[in-house]
Amino acid sequence: MDFALTDEQRMLEETLTRLVTDQVSPEQRRLMLGASAGTSALWRTFSELGLLHMPFSEEVGGLGGDGTDLMIIMRALGRGLVPEAYLAGLVLPGQLLALTASDKQQARWLAPLLEGEHQLALAWQEYGARYDAFAISSQAIQRDGQWQLNGRKEVVLNLEAAAATLVTARLDNGKLGLFVVPAGASGTSTRIYRTIDDRPAGDLTLEHVTLPLENCLSEDVSTALAAVLALGRAALCAEAIGAMEVACDQTLAYLKERKQFGLPLATFQALQHRMVDMHLHLEQSRSMAILAATSLALPSSERDYKIAAAKAYCGESARFIAEQAIQLHGAMGMTEECYITPYAKHLVMFDHYLGDSDYHLETVSDLLKAA
Amino acid sequence: MNLTFSPEEQVFRAEVRHFLATALPQDISERVRLGRHLRADDHLRWQNILSEQGWLAANWPKEHGGPGWGPVQRHIFDEECAAAHAPTVVPFGVNMVAPVIMKFGSVEQQQYYLPRILRNQDWWCQGYSEPGAGSDLASLNTRAVREDDHYIVNGQKTWTTLGQHANMLFCLVRTDPHAKKQAGISFLLIDMQSPGVTVRPIITLDGAHEVNEVFLDNVPVPVENRVGAEGQGWTYAKYLLTHERTGIAGLGHAKQALRHLKSLASRIEHRGKPLLEQPSFRHRVLKAELELMALEVTNLRVIAAARDGGVPGAESSLLKIRGSELRQEISELTRRALGPAALPFFPAFLHGDDDLDEASAQNAAASAQYFNRRKLSIYGGANEIQKSIVAKTILGM
């Protein structure tokens, strides 16, 4: 049992904390969000720091980072609400490639990803299936030595910046296949937008999209997809911890600074206890994020049980902290310019990424041991 | 990071489990399992067995005769004891007054009291709260006036847990009424057989006699029974409150209670199906399960910090708040699970020696325990006080 970070991990954490403090102020974040899609200066810095290699195994050219390393990175990104698609554009599609792609496919898609030459996206989600990655209706048919894809993928994060999108589709035999669809492929159309918490996203429509055989990464991706989504959920929990920390810190600072009735708000017991409740939610969620990060290598049902529990728990805490942060900032908490509001928005919408609390509580329920 | 116990720790767990399986008398564990109050003799028998084994003073360092366990081993021990339905060791001697005597007591006090505690020869109780001093403990009024080589103590203590069985009382008294509230307090060890000590039961809402009032009427206490310096009692009391609080979440008890709840709710039928499958009930069980998972990791974080030399400070307040809330929620669900079977009340079975038919016996404690568990968020500093401590010490408000 060990909660301490290794020396390397401590260095990584310090470096990232400094980077986020220096380069991702609210003002800088607004500028980044306004910039067009493409490789940014910050992404190049990520590359120089080895972050693009970190979460991948040495077999595929990565640095062999584990769940704790990913947690450190995601927490730091969460503290700055860093608008780079580290998870959506690199980790999730990259891990799926690492688990499914042939050497040749990895050379074509994974190697440049790790080198920072391109980004990717993962299109697993369809409104019709809600959060269930395995109940989708997009289809892939193999015909005349080619694959043909039809369907519509919704809220694909990092879609515009991606050189290609990994797309799940149902095969004739009922299994789930995984395909690389290059940006602008004939038959694709996109609608690009931002989510309400400012993440770049879009919908991807596939109409008779024809792909060569080599663009099929897997004809049975279920196991790999489940593993990658579990990793994504653990990473989101860690990112939310970073955002919760800032929401708590900023709210506390505001309570100490803001005066009403001639006294700082921090002197009022009703507000003190609310603030403590936020802190309690944060610490319990931190424990759950640690549980998730250290469960990635467990057998799949144990992994899914613990990570679902963590995602469900963090989802509720994140919303609680967000709502308290807004409330304790009073009317200022309702403004777009308030430091806290981007954090509050992400912490509420956290529940809509990779499954909400209700969805994950169902998973816990399915796997609950009676006694 | 990893959350797994080391091979040595797992061997230790097996050793504790084996000991409990062979040494814990079945009639005692059965009483605990059924939620019946223990008789004085049940406590003494079990504590004598632990004392024989050298495990009674689980928190003590080796030089005072403890097993020298670290925080991880103590945690494992607590968890296994709860799982085996072992009685909780009465903490007032071994875990409360002993650390104060070790740290602040005279050599004579250490040589006299510590071996007696280790051998389970004294039954200690705590004289802290008073009718007018609860959360605001430092406003206590019990007076000790020095007369030659004695203090004459007058006042009233209350909520004295298991004081009816005790022969020793450690007590906060006011020795200087003119000093600032905290500064005039001293820490006395009082023999309950002294003239002027009267113990009266307080029956709690579950019908149990667990706590007492202790009246002190011109009680003579030898000056050598004062621990440390006069006027420093508050410092010692605070030391006690921060000492070794990693067990404060009651995690072993919460785990055991949740296991019991799930087992109960999967046996109880509701419209032809196990109650555990009824959606709204299941939802609450799941929420408790999640809270327990989070609490367990938080507890391990605090234990690991203590193991690595940190002092658990205000984190224990977090554990206390969330641990008590969780245990209360589980007791609420256990009572609800029984439905109408939660209504019958058999105090002579729960608190005494009366027999009861098997089916009624299994269910008898649920409601009484629910009411009893309300104490968890009140004692040891009410949860609201804990929140104020966190606000002050962690958040600097």
Side-chain angles (χ1 to χ4, degrees), chain A residues 1-3 256 273 277 280 283-284 287 305 313 316 361 365 370, chain B residues 1-2 4 262 282 289 291 298 301 307 318 322 387-388 395:
Chain A
M1 185 179 73
D2 193 4
F3 296 90
K256 288 180 178 174
H273 286 196
D277 286 338
L280 286 171
E283 285 309 320
Q284 291 284 77
S287 290
Y305 181 71
Y313 196 96
E316 298 212 350
L361 212 55
S365 178
Chain B
M1 288 194 278
N2 77 80
T4 49
K262 286 190 287 186
R282 188 176 182 85
E289 179 92 4
E291 193 62 39
T298 303
R301 285 166 55 199
R307 175 196 63 193
L318 303 181
R322 283 301 178 101
K387 286 189 182 180
S388 293
L395 304 177

PDB file of all heavy atoms in Angstrom, chain A residues 1-3 256 273 277 280 283-284 287 305 313 316 361 365 370, chain B residues 1-2 4 262 282 289 291 298 301 307 318 322 387-388 395:
ATOM      1  N   MET A   1       0.840  -1.182   0.000  1.00  0.00           N
ATOM      2  CA  MET A   1       0.000   0.000   0.000  1.00  0.00           C
ATOM      3  C   MET A   1       0.881   1.240   0.000  1.00  0.00           C
ATOM      4  O   MET A   1       1.672   1.418   0.908  1.00  0.00           O
ATOM      5  CB  MET A   1      -0.864  -0.020   1.257  1.00  0.00           C
ATOM      6  CG  MET A   1      -1.864   1.085   1.314  1.00  0.00           C
ATOM      7  SD  MET A   1      -2.844   0.936   2.809  1.00  0.00           S
ATOM      8  CE  MET A   1      -1.677   1.429   4.063  1.00  0.00           C
ATOM      9  N   ASP A   2       0.731   2.037  -1.014  1.00  0.00           N
ATOM     10  CA  ASP A   2       1.630   3.179  -1.137  1.00  0.00           C
ATOM     11  C   ASP A   2       0.951   4.281  -1.931  1.00  0.00           C
ATOM     12  O   ASP A   2       0.524   4.062  -3.066  1.00  0.00           O
ATOM     13  CB  ASP A   2       2.920   2.721  -1.838  1.00  0.00           C
ATOM     14  CG  ASP A   2       4.004   3.764  -1.709  1.00  0.00           C
ATOM     15  OD1 ASP A   2       3.764   4.782  -1.026  1.00  0.00           O
ATOM     16  OD2 ASP A   2       5.085   3.564  -2.297  1.00  0.00           O
ATOM     17  N   PHE A   3       0.841   5.435  -1.315  1.00  0.00           N
ATOM     18  CA  PHE A   3       0.215   6.565  -2.004  1.00  0.00           C
ATOM     19  C   PHE A   3       1.253   7.604  -2.427  1.00  0.00           C
ATOM     20  O   PHE A   3       0.909   8.630  -2.984  1.00  0.00           O
ATOM     21  CB  PHE A   3      -0.834   7.219  -1.102  1.00  0.00           C
ATOM     22  CG  PHE A   3      -1.980   6.308  -0.786  1.00  0.00           C
ATOM     23  CD1 PHE A   3      -1.949   5.486   0.325  1.00  0.00           C
ATOM     24  CD2 PHE A   3      -3.078   6.245  -1.628  1.00  0.00           C
ATOM     25  CE1 PHE A   3      -2.996   4.626   0.607  1.00  0.00           C
ATOM     26  CE2 PHE A   3      -4.135   5.385  -1.353  1.00  0.00           C
ATOM     27  CZ  PHE A   3      -4.088   4.582  -0.237  1.00  0.00           C
ATOM     28  N   LYS A 256     -12.844  34.446   1.807  1.00  0.00           N
ATOM     29  CA  LYS A 256     -11.961  35.169   2.728  1.00  0.00           C
ATOM     30  C   LYS A 256     -11.859  36.652   2.361  1.00  0.00           C
ATOM     31  O   LYS A 256     -11.624  37.497   3.221  1.00  0.00           O
ATOM     32  CB  LYS A 256     -10.568  34.534   2.727  1.00  0.00           C
ATOM     33  CG  LYS A 256     -10.536  33.189   3.439  1.00  0.00           C
ATOM     34  CD  LYS A 256      -9.145  32.575   3.418  1.00  0.00           C
ATOM     35  CE  LYS A 256      -9.122  31.261   4.178  1.00  0.00           C
ATOM     36  NZ  LYS A 256      -7.843  30.561   4.060  1.00  0.00           N
ATOM     37  N   HIS A 273     -19.350  25.760   6.881  1.00  0.00           N
ATOM     38  CA  HIS A 273     -19.716  24.344   6.806  1.00  0.00           C
ATOM     39  C   HIS A 273     -19.984  23.909   5.370  1.00  0.00           C
ATOM     40  O   HIS A 273     -19.674  22.784   4.982  1.00  0.00           O
ATOM     41  CB  HIS A 273     -20.909  24.061   7.726  1.00  0.00           C
ATOM     42  CG  HIS A 273     -20.516  24.057   9.176  1.00  0.00           C
ATOM     43  ND1 HIS A 273     -21.302  23.537  10.162  1.00  0.00           N
ATOM     44  CD2 HIS A 273     -19.391  24.503   9.800  1.00  0.00           C
ATOM     45  CE1 HIS A 273     -20.685  23.659  11.335  1.00  0.00           C
ATOM     46  NE2 HIS A 273     -19.532  24.262  11.137  1.00  0.00           N
ATOM     47  N   ASP A 277     -18.022  20.993   3.441  1.00  0.00           N
ATOM     48  CA  ASP A 277     -18.692  19.937   2.667  1.00  0.00           C
ATOM     49  C   ASP A 277     -18.054  19.803   1.278  1.00  0.00           C
ATOM     50  O   ASP A 277     -17.888  18.686   0.774  1.00  0.00           O
ATOM     51  CB  ASP A 277     -20.187  20.234   2.529  1.00  0.00           C
ATOM     52  CG  ASP A 277     -20.934  19.979   3.844  1.00  0.00           C
ATOM     53  OD1 ASP A 277     -20.421  19.207   4.674  1.00  0.00           O
ATOM     54  OD2 ASP A 277     -22.012  20.561   4.032  1.00  0.00           O
ATOM     55  N   LEU A 280     -14.854  17.951   1.801  1.00  0.00           N
ATOM     56  CA  LEU A 280     -15.107  16.524   2.038  1.00  0.00           C
ATOM     57  C   LEU A 280     -15.377  15.801   0.722  1.00  0.00           C
ATOM     58  O   LEU A 280     -14.849  14.714   0.484  1.00  0.00           O
ATOM     59  CB  LEU A 280     -16.321  16.339   2.957  1.00  0.00           C
ATOM     60  CG  LEU A 280     -16.139  16.657   4.436  1.00  0.00           C
ATOM     61  CD1 LEU A 280     -17.486  16.643   5.150  1.00  0.00           C
ATOM     62  CD2 LEU A 280     -15.220  15.632   5.063  1.00  0.00           C
ATOM     63  N   GLU A 283     -12.055  15.396  -1.121  1.00  0.00           N
ATOM     64  CA  GLU A 283     -11.131  14.381  -0.603  1.00  0.00           C
ATOM     65  C   GLU A 283     -11.649  12.967  -0.862  1.00  0.00           C
ATOM     66  O   GLU A 283     -10.874  12.072  -1.198  1.00  0.00           O
ATOM     67  CB  GLU A 283     -10.876  14.593   0.891  1.00  0.00           C
ATOM     68  CG  GLU A 283      -9.955  15.780   1.179  1.00  0.00           C
ATOM     69  CD  GLU A 283      -8.658  15.734   0.376  1.00  0.00           C
ATOM     70  OE1 GLU A 283      -8.071  14.655   0.211  1.00  0.00           O
ATOM     71  OE2 GLU A 283      -8.244  16.797  -0.123  1.00  0.00           O
ATOM     72  N   GLN A 284     -12.938  12.768  -0.711  1.00  0.00           N
ATOM     73  CA  GLN A 284     -13.494  11.441  -0.989  1.00  0.00           C
ATOM     74  C   GLN A 284     -13.368  11.115  -2.488  1.00  0.00           C
ATOM     75  O   GLN A 284     -13.096   9.982  -2.864  1.00  0.00           O
ATOM     76  CB  GLN A 284     -14.958  11.365  -0.556  1.00  0.00           C
ATOM     77  CG  GLN A 284     -15.159  11.417   0.953  1.00  0.00           C
ATOM     78  CD  GLN A 284     -14.807  10.100   1.627  1.00  0.00           C
ATOM     79  OE1 GLN A 284     -13.635   9.784   1.812  1.00  0.00           O
ATOM     80  NE2 GLN A 284     -15.804   9.327   1.985  1.00  0.00           N
ATOM     81  N   SER A 287      -9.916  10.091  -3.368  1.00  0.00           N
ATOM     82  CA  SER A 287      -9.712   8.677  -3.060  1.00  0.00           C
ATOM     83  C   SER A 287     -10.263   7.799  -4.182  1.00  0.00           C
ATOM     84  O   SER A 287      -9.640   6.816  -4.579  1.00  0.00           O
ATOM     85  CB  SER A 287     -10.397   8.318  -1.738  1.00  0.00           C
ATOM     86  OG  SER A 287      -9.718   8.918  -0.660  1.00  0.00           O
ATOM     87  N   TYR A 305     -15.923  -2.540 -12.224  1.00  0.00           N
ATOM     88  CA  TYR A 305     -16.671  -2.272 -10.987  1.00  0.00           C
ATOM     89  C   TYR A 305     -16.097  -1.041 -10.294  1.00  0.00           C
ATOM     90  O   TYR A 305     -16.807  -0.099  -9.955  1.00  0.00           O
ATOM     91  CB  TYR A 305     -16.586  -3.496 -10.075  1.00  0.00           C
ATOM     92  CG  TYR A 305     -17.342  -3.366  -8.780  1.00  0.00           C
ATOM     93  CD1 TYR A 305     -18.730  -3.380  -8.772  1.00  0.00           C
ATOM     94  CD2 TYR A 305     -16.670  -3.234  -7.574  1.00  0.00           C
ATOM     95  CE1 TYR A 305     -19.432  -3.269  -7.577  1.00  0.00           C
ATOM     96  CE2 TYR A 305     -17.358  -3.117  -6.375  1.00  0.00           C
ATOM     97  CZ  TYR A 305     -18.744  -3.135  -6.389  1.00  0.00           C
ATOM     98  OH  TYR A 305     -19.433  -3.020  -5.210  1.00  0.00           O
ATOM     99  N   TYR A 313     -19.186   8.256  -8.420  1.00  0.00           N
ATOM    100  CA  TYR A 313     -18.949   9.045  -7.206  1.00  0.00           C
ATOM    101  C   TYR A 313     -18.436  10.439  -7.563  1.00  0.00           C
ATOM    102  O   TYR A 313     -18.946  11.453  -7.065  1.00  0.00           O
ATOM    103  CB  TYR A 313     -17.929   8.322  -6.317  1.00  0.00           C
ATOM    104  CG  TYR A 313     -17.912   8.841  -4.900  1.00  0.00           C
ATOM    105  CD1 TYR A 313     -18.647   8.211  -3.908  1.00  0.00           C
ATOM    106  CD2 TYR A 313     -17.179   9.971  -4.559  1.00  0.00           C
ATOM    107  CE1 TYR A 313     -18.650   8.686  -2.609  1.00  0.00           C
ATOM    108  CE2 TYR A 313     -17.177  10.460  -3.265  1.00  0.00           C
ATOM    109  CZ  TYR A 313     -17.910   9.808  -2.296  1.00  0.00           C
ATOM    110  OH  TYR A 313     -17.919  10.288  -1.008  1.00  0.00           O
ATOM    111  N   GLU A 316     -21.084  12.885  -8.991  1.00  0.00           N
ATOM    112  CA  GLU A 316     -21.950  13.577  -8.026  1.00  0.00           C
ATOM    113  C   GLU A 316     -21.184  14.645  -7.257  1.00  0.00           C
ATOM    114  O   GLU A 316     -21.706  15.724  -6.997  1.00  0.00           O
ATOM    115  CB  GLU A 316     -22.565  12.561  -7.072  1.00  0.00           C
ATOM    116  CG  GLU A 316     -23.425  11.578  -7.835  1.00  0.00           C
ATOM    117  CD  GLU A 316     -24.606  11.069  -7.030  1.00  0.00           C
ATOM    118  OE1 GLU A 316     -24.656  11.322  -5.817  1.00  0.00           O
ATOM    119  OE2 GLU A 316     -25.464  10.429  -7.647  1.00  0.00           O
ATOM    120  N   LEU A 361     -23.685   3.847 -11.952  1.00  0.00           N
ATOM    121  CA  LEU A 361     -24.285   3.170 -10.796  1.00  0.00           C
ATOM    122  C   LEU A 361     -24.965   1.874 -11.239  1.00  0.00           C
ATOM    123  O   LEU A 361     -24.964   0.876 -10.508  1.00  0.00           O
ATOM    124  CB  LEU A 361     -25.286   4.105 -10.105  1.00  0.00           C
ATOM    125  CG  LEU A 361     -25.438   3.945  -8.601  1.00  0.00           C
ATOM    126  CD1 LEU A 361     -24.112   4.056  -7.874  1.00  0.00           C
ATOM    127  CD2 LEU A 361     -26.412   4.979  -8.055  1.00  0.00           C
ATOM    128  N   SER A 365     -24.262  -1.738  -9.914  1.00  0.00           N
ATOM    129  CA  SER A 365     -25.384  -2.588  -9.519  1.00  0.00           C
ATOM    130  C   SER A 365     -25.288  -3.965 -10.169  1.00  0.00           C
ATOM    131  O   SER A 365     -25.481  -4.983  -9.512  1.00  0.00           O
ATOM    132  CB  SER A 365     -26.691  -1.901  -9.911  1.00  0.00           C
ATOM    133  OG  SER A 365     -27.784  -2.725  -9.579  1.00  0.00           O
ATOM    134  N   ALA A 370     -23.638  -9.623  -3.532  1.00  0.00           N
ATOM    135  CA  ALA A 370     -24.697  -9.480  -2.527  1.00  0.00           C
ATOM    136  C   ALA A 370     -24.138  -9.463  -1.106  1.00  0.00           C
ATOM    137  O   ALA A 370     -24.561  -8.675  -0.284  1.00  0.00           O
ATOM    138  CB  ALA A 370     -25.736 -10.573  -2.678  1.00  0.00           C
TER     139      ALA A 370
ATOM    140  N   MET B   1       1.659   4.416  -7.222  1.00  0.00           N
ATOM    141  CA  MET B   1       0.732   4.166  -6.130  1.00  0.00           C
ATOM    142  C   MET B   1       0.152   2.762  -6.265  1.00  0.00           C
ATOM    143  O   MET B   1      -0.059   2.288  -7.368  1.00  0.00           O
ATOM    144  CB  MET B   1      -0.421   5.177  -6.192  1.00  0.00           C
ATOM    145  CG  MET B   1      -0.014   6.579  -5.802  1.00  0.00           C
ATOM    146  SD  MET B   1      -1.436   7.633  -5.483  1.00  0.00           S
ATOM    147  CE  MET B   1      -1.868   8.129  -7.146  1.00  0.00           C
ATOM    148  N   ASN B   2      -0.082   2.134  -5.141  1.00  0.00           N
ATOM    149  CA  ASN B   2      -0.849   0.894  -5.183  1.00  0.00           C
ATOM    150  C   ASN B   2      -1.595   0.724  -3.877  1.00  0.00           C
ATOM    151  O   ASN B   2      -1.170   1.216  -2.832  1.00  0.00           O
ATOM    152  CB  ASN B   2       0.053  -0.305  -5.491  1.00  0.00           C
ATOM    153  CG  ASN B   2       0.839  -0.710  -4.289  1.00  0.00           C
ATOM    154  OD1 ASN B   2       0.327  -1.397  -3.402  1.00  0.00           O
ATOM    155  ND2 ASN B   2       2.092  -0.284  -4.223  1.00  0.00           N
ATOM    156  N   THR B   4      -2.624  -2.251  -2.577  1.00  0.00           N
ATOM    157  CA  THR B   4      -2.630  -3.622  -2.082  1.00  0.00           C
ATOM    158  C   THR B   4      -1.761  -3.743  -0.829  1.00  0.00           C
ATOM    159  O   THR B   4      -0.774  -3.024  -0.677  1.00  0.00           O
ATOM    160  CB  THR B   4      -2.110  -4.594  -3.152  1.00  0.00           C
ATOM    161  OG1 THR B   4      -0.878  -4.065  -3.657  1.00  0.00           O
ATOM    162  CG2 THR B   4      -3.097  -4.721  -4.291  1.00  0.00           C
ATOM    163  N   LYS B 262     -26.431  -6.261   3.127  1.00  0.00           N
ATOM    164  CA  LYS B 262     -26.621  -6.862   1.795  1.00  0.00           C
ATOM    165  C   LYS B 262     -27.116  -8.299   1.912  1.00  0.00           C
ATOM    166  O   LYS B 262     -27.975  -8.738   1.143  1.00  0.00           O
ATOM    167  CB  LYS B 262     -25.312  -6.797   0.998  1.00  0.00           C
ATOM    168  CG  LYS B 262     -25.005  -5.388   0.504  1.00  0.00           C
ATOM    169  CD  LYS B 262     -23.845  -5.364  -0.475  1.00  0.00           C
ATOM    170  CE  LYS B 262     -22.530  -5.581   0.206  1.00  0.00           C
ATOM    171  NZ  LYS B 262     -21.378  -5.432  -0.708  1.00  0.00           N
ATOM    172  N   ARG B 282     -32.273  -0.717  -3.486  1.00  0.00           N
ATOM    173  CA  ARG B 282     -30.962  -1.071  -4.033  1.00  0.00           C
ATOM    174  C   ARG B 282     -30.107   0.166  -4.281  1.00  0.00           C
ATOM    175  O   ARG B 282     -28.904   0.173  -4.052  1.00  0.00           O
ATOM    176  CB  ARG B 282     -31.142  -1.849  -5.332  1.00  0.00           C
ATOM    177  CG  ARG B 282     -29.841  -2.436  -5.870  1.00  0.00           C
ATOM    178  CD  ARG B 282     -30.093  -3.275  -7.121  1.00  0.00           C
ATOM    179  NE  ARG B 282     -28.872  -3.876  -7.626  1.00  0.00           N
ATOM    180  CZ  ARG B 282     -28.363  -5.030  -7.188  1.00  0.00           C
ATOM    181  NH1 ARG B 282     -28.968  -5.694  -6.238  1.00  0.00           N
ATOM    182  NH2 ARG B 282     -27.238  -5.510  -7.693  1.00  0.00           N
ATOM    183  N   GLU B 289     -22.447   1.619  -0.630  1.00  0.00           N
ATOM    184  CA  GLU B 289     -21.290   0.844  -1.113  1.00  0.00           C
ATOM    185  C   GLU B 289     -20.204   1.785  -1.657  1.00  0.00           C
ATOM    186  O   GLU B 289     -19.021   1.642  -1.363  1.00  0.00           O
ATOM    187  CB  GLU B 289     -21.777  -0.118  -2.210  1.00  0.00           C
ATOM    188  CG  GLU B 289     -20.707  -0.974  -2.848  1.00  0.00           C
ATOM    189  CD  GLU B 289     -20.534  -2.329  -2.175  1.00  0.00           C
ATOM    190  OE1 GLU B 289     -21.311  -2.634  -1.252  1.00  0.00           O
ATOM    191  OE2 GLU B 289     -19.612  -3.052  -2.568  1.00  0.00           O
ATOM    192  N   GLU B 291     -19.830   4.992  -0.979  1.00  0.00           N
ATOM    193  CA  GLU B 291     -19.280   5.807   0.100  1.00  0.00           C
ATOM    194  C   GLU B 291     -18.262   5.004   0.905  1.00  0.00           C
ATOM    195  O   GLU B 291     -17.219   5.531   1.304  1.00  0.00           O
ATOM    196  CB  GLU B 291     -20.433   6.296   0.995  1.00  0.00           C
ATOM    197  CG  GLU B 291     -20.065   7.385   1.964  1.00  0.00           C
ATOM    198  CD  GLU B 291     -19.602   8.669   1.312  1.00  0.00           C
ATOM    199  OE1 GLU B 291     -20.171   9.059   0.274  1.00  0.00           O
ATOM    200  OE2 GLU B 291     -18.651   9.286   1.827  1.00  0.00           O
ATOM    201  N   THR B 298      -9.736   6.705   1.587  1.00  0.00           N
ATOM    202  CA  THR B 298      -9.340   7.875   2.382  1.00  0.00           C
ATOM    203  C   THR B 298      -8.689   7.421   3.689  1.00  0.00           C
ATOM    204  O   THR B 298      -7.654   7.959   4.103  1.00  0.00           O
ATOM    205  CB  THR B 298     -10.558   8.763   2.686  1.00  0.00           C
ATOM    206  OG1 THR B 298     -11.164   9.143   1.442  1.00  0.00           O
ATOM    207  CG2 THR B 298     -10.149  10.027   3.419  1.00  0.00           C
ATOM    208  N   ARG B 301      -5.288   6.246   3.013  1.00  0.00           N
ATOM    209  CA  ARG B 301      -4.388   7.388   2.781  1.00  0.00           C
ATOM    210  C   ARG B 301      -3.893   7.953   4.102  1.00  0.00           C
ATOM    211  O   ARG B 301      -2.710   8.259   4.257  1.00  0.00           O
ATOM    212  CB  ARG B 301      -5.115   8.483   1.990  1.00  0.00           C
ATOM    213  CG  ARG B 301      -5.286   8.163   0.505  1.00  0.00           C
ATOM    214  CD  ARG B 301      -6.295   9.103  -0.157  1.00  0.00           C
ATOM    215  NE  ARG B 301      -5.957  10.509   0.023  1.00  0.00           N
ATOM    216  CZ  ARG B 301      -6.822  11.512  -0.131  1.00  0.00           C
ATOM    217  NH1 ARG B 301      -8.067  11.259  -0.472  1.00  0.00           N
ATOM    218  NH2 ARG B 301      -6.433  12.752   0.036  1.00  0.00           N
ATOM    219  N   ARG B 307       1.844   5.976   8.862  1.00  0.00           N
ATOM    220  CA  ARG B 307       2.930   4.997   8.797  1.00  0.00           C
ATOM    221  C   ARG B 307       4.234   5.673   8.370  1.00  0.00           C
ATOM    222  O   ARG B 307       5.305   5.380   8.865  1.00  0.00           O
ATOM    223  CB  ARG B 307       2.571   3.905   7.775  1.00  0.00           C
ATOM    224  CG  ARG B 307       3.671   2.878   7.531  1.00  0.00           C
ATOM    225  CD  ARG B 307       3.404   2.083   6.260  1.00  0.00           C
ATOM    226  NE  ARG B 307       3.408   2.952   5.086  1.00  0.00           N
ATOM    227  CZ  ARG B 307       2.953   2.579   3.888  1.00  0.00           C
ATOM    228  NH1 ARG B 307       2.438   1.381   3.716  1.00  0.00           N
ATOM    229  NH2 ARG B 307       2.996   3.416   2.874  1.00  0.00           N
ATOM    230  N   LEU B 318     -12.416  14.566   8.995  1.00  0.00           N
ATOM    231  CA  LEU B 318     -13.086  14.121   7.763  1.00  0.00           C
ATOM    232  C   LEU B 318     -13.555  12.679   7.920  1.00  0.00           C
ATOM    233  O   LEU B 318     -14.683  12.328   7.570  1.00  0.00           O
ATOM    234  CB  LEU B 318     -12.135  14.200   6.563  1.00  0.00           C
ATOM    235  CG  LEU B 318     -11.516  15.546   6.258  1.00  0.00           C
ATOM    236  CD1 LEU B 318     -10.618  15.442   5.027  1.00  0.00           C
ATOM    237  CD2 LEU B 318     -12.597  16.576   6.027  1.00  0.00           C
ATOM    238  N   ARG B 322     -17.554  11.546   7.792  1.00  0.00           N
ATOM    239  CA  ARG B 322     -18.066  10.648   6.759  1.00  0.00           C
ATOM    240  C   ARG B 322     -18.304   9.242   7.289  1.00  0.00           C
ATOM    241  O   ARG B 322     -19.253   8.564   6.892  1.00  0.00           O
ATOM    242  CB  ARG B 322     -17.125  10.630   5.551  1.00  0.00           C
ATOM    243  CG  ARG B 322     -17.265  11.864   4.662  1.00  0.00           C
ATOM    244  CD  ARG B 322     -18.688  11.970   4.152  1.00  0.00           C
ATOM    245  NE  ARG B 322     -18.925  13.143   3.335  1.00  0.00           N
ATOM    246  CZ  ARG B 322     -18.972  13.149   2.000  1.00  0.00           C
ATOM    247  NH1 ARG B 322     -18.739  12.046   1.336  1.00  0.00           N
ATOM    248  NH2 ARG B 322     -19.230  14.261   1.337  1.00  0.00           N
ATOM    249  N   LYS B 387     -16.704  19.956  11.658  1.00  0.00           N
ATOM    250  CA  LYS B 387     -16.676  20.828  10.471  1.00  0.00           C
ATOM    251  C   LYS B 387     -16.025  22.166  10.805  1.00  0.00           C
ATOM    252  O   LYS B 387     -15.268  22.712  10.002  1.00  0.00           O
ATOM    253  CB  LYS B 387     -18.098  21.041   9.935  1.00  0.00           C
ATOM    254  CG  LYS B 387     -18.633  19.817   9.218  1.00  0.00           C
ATOM    255  CD  LYS B 387     -19.929  20.089   8.495  1.00  0.00           C
ATOM    256  CE  LYS B 387     -20.406  18.785   7.839  1.00  0.00           C
ATOM    257  NZ  LYS B 387     -21.668  18.959   7.110  1.00  0.00           N
ATOM    258  N   SER B 388     -16.322  22.670  11.981  1.00  0.00           N
ATOM    259  CA  SER B 388     -15.689  23.931  12.368  1.00  0.00           C
ATOM    260  C   SER B 388     -14.183  23.755  12.549  1.00  0.00           C
ATOM    261  O   SER B 388     -13.412  24.658  12.246  1.00  0.00           O
ATOM    262  CB  SER B 388     -16.329  24.479  13.648  1.00  0.00           C
ATOM    263  OG  SER B 388     -17.676  24.845  13.373  1.00  0.00           O
ATOM    264  N   LEU B 395      -8.791  24.809   6.363  1.00  0.00           N
ATOM    265  CA  LEU B 395      -9.155  25.844   5.390  1.00  0.00           C
ATOM    266  C   LEU B 395      -8.784  27.254   5.851  1.00  0.00           C
ATOM    267  O   LEU B 395      -8.872  28.198   5.074  1.00  0.00           O
ATOM    268  CB  LEU B 395     -10.655  25.762   5.083  1.00  0.00           C
ATOM    269  CG  LEU B 395     -11.137  24.395   4.577  1.00  0.00           C
ATOM    270  CD1 LEU B 395     -12.646  24.391   4.359  1.00  0.00           C
ATOM    271  CD2 LEU B 395     -10.420  23.992   3.292  1.00  0.00           C
TER     272      LEU B 395
END
